[in-house]
Amino acid sequence: MTPKFASKSSKAIPVHVVESDRLAALVAKLDIALWVKSNGFTATLGQVLIVPDETGAPVAVLAGWGNADARARGRLQMGTIAAKLPKGNYEIVSGLRGSALDQAHLAWLLAGYAFDRYKVKVGAVARLKASKDVDARRILTEAEGDFLTRDLINTPTNDMGPDALEVEFRNLAKSHDAKVKVIKGDALLKHNFPMIHAVGRASDQVPRLLDMRWGNKNDPLVTLVGKGVCFDTGGLNIKPASSMGLMKKDMGGSATVLGLAHMIMSLGLSVRLRVLVPAVENSISAGAYRPQDVLTSRKGMTVEINNTDAEGRLVLADALAFADEEKPDLLICNATLTGAARVALGPDVPPFFTDDEGLAAQIDHASTAQADPLWRLPFWEPYEADIEPDVADLDNAPKGGFGGAITAALFLRRFVDDAASFVHLDLYGWCPSAKPARTLGGACQSARAMLAVIEARYG
Ligand code: BES
Ligand code: MN
Ligand code: ZN
C-alpha cells in the first residue's frame, strides 16, 4: 500500500494540538468552554475532541498532547490521534512547529498503513493535508519506504519466497533506474558463495544473491546488506512450532534495506548505492545442510555448523565478504539475526554494533531525532573465543548461547576487513501489538535513522 496526503486543494478540518497546561488559553480563544467541559476533555496525550457546529458537522478537532513526560513514554504519538479520527480530511493548524510538526505528519501517515493484499475491504482512514510548513515530499518518501518494508514482511512465504523477493527487488530497481545482477542456484558455487548455496539448497526455490547498483560512480559507496531468509524452519535443527510461527518475517533485514534504498534513491542522495540480498529459504529436505558439516566460506575461513538454525550469519557472511571486497565507505548490515537481541532489549529497540565511534554517535543522535529507537551493544572481544570451535575456524552456534546477539555480531565482523565503516543492526522487524503509528505485524526499524545518518555523512 502507498501512503497519501489529502490533496492540496481539499477542504480540511483544522486540528489544534494542545498540551494539557495550554488548554485553558485555547478554549478561551475558540470559545468552546462548555463543550470541552461537558466532554471531559483535558488534553491528556492522545485524547481527541471533535468540535461540531450547530448542525453537528465537525468544524475543529482538539488533539491532546499531554506533557513532555507523557510523550517521552512513546514515539510518534500523533499516530494514536490519527487512528481515532473518523474518515475525512484534516490539517494541523496550531500547537506544533519545526521538526515536531514534521514528525507529527510522518506519524499520521505511518498510522494509516493497512496490510490490504488479501483483504478486499480495509477501513477508510483520516487523511492529513500537509501543512505548508513541512517538507511533504520527504515525509511521504519516508512513509513509502516504511510501507514497502511492512508489506514485504507481512506477505507470507507462499507469496514472498526467494522468487517473489527477487521480483520485488527488480521492481524497486526498475522504478529508480538501478541495475540488477542475480546469481542463482549452482552458479553460486561457481562464483564462490558456498554458504548461501548450502543454506538455501534444500528449498525448491533456488538460493540466490541479489545485487543492485545505483548512483554516480564518483560518489562515496554505501553498501546495504539485508538478510533475506524468506522462511526459517530452522533446517534440520527444526524450530519448535512456537518459534517457527513468525518466521515469514526472517527476510525483515532485506525488506528494511529495500525500504531504505527506496528512500535514498527517491531523495537522490549523493551516494553510490549498492544493495546485496542473499535470498534463501532455510528448508528441510534430503539435500539440507547438516549439523557438524564444515563449510568453507567465500572468504576462505571454514565454519563448523553446530546449529542449522543459525543460518542467517552464514548467508550474510558470504554477502558481507563480497561487499567488503569493494571497500565501501559505509557498510550497513540489517538482519533478524538472533532471538537473543530480543531477550536483551525487547522487540522495539534493535541493537546496533560498530567499531566506529563517530558512526555510533551519529546513529545515537539520529535514532532519537527520528524517533526510530536503536541501542548500541559492544563487539565484546573476550567473547571471540566462543565462536572458535575445535575442528574449524569458526562456529556458527556457540554452546551455551550466552551473549547470543554479540557472538553473532562478532561472527559477521570476521568477514569485514576493508570497509571504512561497518555497522550491523539486529532487527526484530515485527510489532507484536499495535502502537502509535505502528500496526501489528511487520515493522520497519532503523531505516529512517540510517537515512538521517547517511544524509549527515554525505548530504
Ligand atoms: N531468524 C532467527 C532469529 C530470530 C528468531 C529473530 C526470532 C527474531 C525472532 C535466527 O535464524 C535464529 O534462529 N537464530 C538462533 C541462533 C542460535 C541457534 C545460535 C537464535 O537466536 O536462537
Ligand atoms: Mn534460524
Ligand atoms: Zn533466521
Side-chain angles (χ1 to χ4, degrees):
M1 132 176 268
T2 46
K4 279 190 200 68
F5 283 121
S7 79
K8 280 203 181 98
S9 56
S10 60
K11 210 168 149 327
I13 300 163
V15 176
H16 301 270
V17 180
V18 57
E19 294 186 322
S20 310
D21 60 9
R22 302 247 169 105
L23 180 61
L26 181 72
V27 164
K29 195 169 140 207
L30 299 180
D31 194 17
I32 50 173
L34 282 179
W35 184 249
V36 166
K37 192 169 175 211
S38 60
N39 280 286
F41 182 81
T42 55
T44 56
L45 182 58
Q47 205 184 2
V48 163
L49 181 68
I50 297 176
V51 183
D53 66 11
E54 53 291 347
T55 71
V59 290
V61 167
L62 302 195
W65 208 231
N67 57 32
D69 285 350
R71 290 195 299 277
R73 290 183 144 217
R75 299 282 186 286
L76 302 172
Q77 309 272 9
M78 187 55 72
T80 307
I81 289 157
K84 282 184 180 173
L85 289 171
K87 177 175 179 298
N89 294 333
Y90 300 85
E91 185 176 10
I92 299 172
V93 296
S94 78
L96 294 175
R97 283 184 290 130
S99 61
L101 184 60
D102 281 80
Q103 209 160 78
H105 278 66
L106 176 71
W108 194 301
L109 289 183
L110 295 182
Y113 175 85
F115 181 50
D116 57 5
R117 181 166 171 150
Y118 303 98
K119 259 198 165 154
V120 189
K121 268 200 266 168
V122 293
V125 297
R127 285 231 185 279
L128 186 63
K129 182 174 162 182
S131 154
K132 50 189 181 338
D133 297 331
V134 302
D135 186 347
R137 191 173 105 81
R138 191 205 160 81
I139 295 166
L140 201 57
T141 301
E142 290 185 21
E144 284 164 2
D146 182 298
F147 280 27
L148 171 64
T149 301
R150 280 195 253 185
D151 275 346
L152 293 173
I153 296 176
N154 284 330
T155 305
T157 311
N158 59 321
D159 285 324
M160 196 51 67
D163 290 341
L165 186 57
E166 178 182 336
V167 170
E168 294 290 341
F169 190 93
R170 289 182 184 279
N171 286 345
L172 181 71
K174 198 165 172 203
S175 67
H176 294 286
D177 280 322
K179 294 210 162 55
V180 171
K181 278 193 191 147
V182 175
I183 303 174
K184 271 196 226 207
D186 289 345
L188 288 168
L189 296 175
K190 194 175 133 219
H191 289 94
N192 193 23
F193 297 96
M195 299 207 294
I196 299 176
H197 185 270
V199 170
R201 71 189 183 208
S203 168
D204 57 7
Q205 291 188 24
V206 296
R208 65 206 75 191
L209 179 64
L210 313 174
D211 187 352
M212 183 190 309
R213 288 182 186 275
W214 174 91
N216 300 322
K217 70 170 191 298
N218 295 323
D219 285 333
L221 176 62
V222 174
T223 300
L224 315 179
V225 176
K227 174 174 171 181
V229 175
C230 295
F231 196 83
D232 183 8
T233 63
L236 290 171
N237 291 113
I238 190 167
K239 283 182 185 291
S242 57
S243 313
M244 207 191 296
L246 268 180
M247 284 299 121
K248 72 172 181 184
K249 78 171 176 70
D250 212 19
M251 34 60 75
S254 65
T256 306
V257 298
L258 290 181
L260 174 56
H262 171 75
M263 297 177 201
I264 292 170
M265 296 188 287
S266 291
L267 296 174
L269 300 194
S270 307
V271 296
R272 183 154 58 102
L273 180 68
R274 188 182 194 191
V275 184
L276 288 168
V277 169
V280 302
E281 203 184 331
N282 189 18
S283 287
I284 300 172
S285 77
Y289 77 130
R290 317 158 193 82
Q292 291 186 305
D293 280 359
V294 175
L295 307 180
T296 302
S297 66
R298 174 179 186 84
K299 206 174 161 70
M301 283 100 86
T302 54
V303 181
E304 183 180 30
I305 304 308
N306 281 306
N307 193 323
T308 59
D309 198 9
E311 83 297 337
R313 66 198 74 188
L314 303 173
V315 298
L316 289 167
D318 276 356
L320 286 170
F322 188 43
D324 193 59
E325 287 160 22
E326 206 186 2
K327 304 181 170 49
D329 193 70
L330 176 60
L331 176 56
I332 300 173
C333 176
N334 274 348
T336 51
L337 198 63
T338 69
R342 268 70 269 165
V343 175
L345 298 175
D348 298 345
V349 190
F352 69 92
F353 300 81
T354 182
D355 287 319
D356 181 329
E357 297 301 321
L359 177 61
Q362 285 174 326
I363 295 174
D364 238 5
H365 173 82
S367 145
T368 306
Q370 307 303 320
D372 194 2
L374 298 169
W375 200 260
R376 190 180 187 187
L377 288 183
F379 278 124
W380 189 252
E381 310 265 349
Y383 295 166
E384 288 280 8
D386 295 0
I387 60 171
E388 291 164 353
D390 292 338
V391 303
D393 298 324
L394 288 168
D395 182 341
N396 82 325
K399 279 180 267 318
F402 284 136
I406 295 177
T407 52
L410 288 172
F411 184 98
L412 295 182
R413 192 177 65 166
R414 294 285 185 109
F415 295 86
V416 179
D417 290 325
D418 294 328
S421 300
F422 169 56
V423 59
H424 153 60
L425 297 112
D426 194 335
L427 310 175
Y428 193 53
W430 193 261
C431 185
S433 59
K435 304 215 168 64
R438 296 175 57 203
T439 40
L440 186 158
C444 181
Q445 300 177 311
S446 83
R448 290 181 298 100
M450 294 313 294
L451 176 72
V453 167
I454 293 167
E455 281 180 309
R457 291 168 76 91
Y458 310 110

